[in-house]
Amino acid sequence: MFAEFATDESGAVTVDWVVLTGGLVGLGLATMAVLSSGVENLTGDIGNSLANMRVGASPFSNLSSIFSDTFSAGAAGWSGGQMVNLAGFGNVLQLGPGVLATTTATLPAGSTAATITFDLIGVDDLSGAPATVFVNGQAVAIYSDNHGNITTSAPAVAGISVTVDQQYTNDPMGSGTHGHDSRATYTITVDDPGETLTFGVGSNSTEPTSDEFYAIDDVEISAG
């Protein structure tokens, strides 16, 4: 029995693995002790760099206003449309049936971007005939008010992006005979706009303005 026990090798591998594992743990602790100081210093440097970093402004923050019109002084500079004073809105540029109103702005040389913001207003329970927004003669957005059922779309145009913020739909704002109106704020961004930018809005309504119409207000064009 003693001879068999002395020559039995079962369990020897387990002993070897215990020794090897202990050695690896010791090596890991030694490595961590050597590297921890450097890692801590690098972490501190990264933290200081991030804390003192100045975040660059958005490229659009460099845009400066070159055209602004609230129609408080009339509709000078516009082709098509007429300034009217609406209860609940003040002065706006009214678009009669089939009317296209446009204005052209001269941009600073070398402008890489331009933005157009404006309010599009649907007055007196429009019957679904849309208004179309144009940039340099190209349709970039369509707005339709059908008795408060608002539909917006923006055809894909390279270099032009369109966003719309619907303010209200079919609300009684006190203008016109019906008093139910819609209003949306458009923001149009144009990349590499060139030296001139023509902006326009056309009404496809066939009804007289005494019944319903579209109007635009608070137009601003920025570039830089």
Side-chain angles (χ1 to χ4, degrees):
M1 181 179 62
F2 289 107
E4 183 178 355
F5 175 78
T7 58
D8 189 355
E9 296 183 355
S10 60
V13 174
T14 302
V15 174
D16 291 341
W17 273 109
V18 170
V19 175
L20 290 173
T21 303
L24 290 174
V25 171
L27 180 62
L29 293 174
T31 303
M32 184 177 67
V34 173
L35 297 179
S36 61
S37 176
V39 171
E40 289 177 2
N41 291 336
L42 181 59
T43 302
D45 292 341
I46 293 174
N48 291 333
S49 297
L50 292 175
N52 297 321
M53 182 178 293
R54 298 181 62 88
V55 179
S58 165
F60 296 115
S61 66
N62 295 323
L63 302 184
S64 57
S65 176
I66 59 174
F67 178 88
S68 181
D69 202 342
T70 61
F71 304 104
S72 59
W78 290 85
S79 174
Q82 64 174 344
M83 188 276 289
V84 297
N85 187 277
L86 297 180
F89 296 101
N91 292 347
V92 300
L93 187 66
Q94 181 188 64
L95 307 178
V99 168
L100 170 64
T102 62
T103 189
T104 299
T106 301
L107 309 183
S111 294
T112 59
T115 62
I116 306 167
T117 60
F118 69 99
D119 287 343
L120 182 55
I121 305 167
V123 180
D124 282 356
D125 290 331
L126 280 149
S127 305
T132 305
V133 182
F134 297 90
V135 173
N136 294 333
Q138 189 167 19
V140 298
I142 299 173
Y143 183 91
S144 175
D145 181 352
N146 187 0
H147 300 289
N149 182 20
I150 305 300
T151 303
T152 63
S153 63
V157 179
I160 295 180
S161 62
V162 179
T163 59
V164 56
D165 179 17
Q166 191 73 51
Q167 302 297 319
Y168 48 79
T169 63
N170 204 34
D171 293 335
M173 300 304 295
S175 61
T177 56
H178 300 159
H180 292 107
D181 313 295
S182 66
R183 185 172 194 153
T185 298
Y186 273 87
T187 302
I188 302 172
T189 302
V190 183
D191 297 331
D192 298 322
E195 296 183 357
T196 60
L197 185 67
T198 299
F199 162 68
V201 180
S203 171
N204 290 312
S205 173
T206 59
E207 299 296 325
T209 56
S210 59
D211 289 336
E212 60 187 49
F213 58 89
Y214 286 104
I216 58 178
D217 195 14
D218 297 329
V219 180
E220 183 166 356
I221 300 176
S222 303

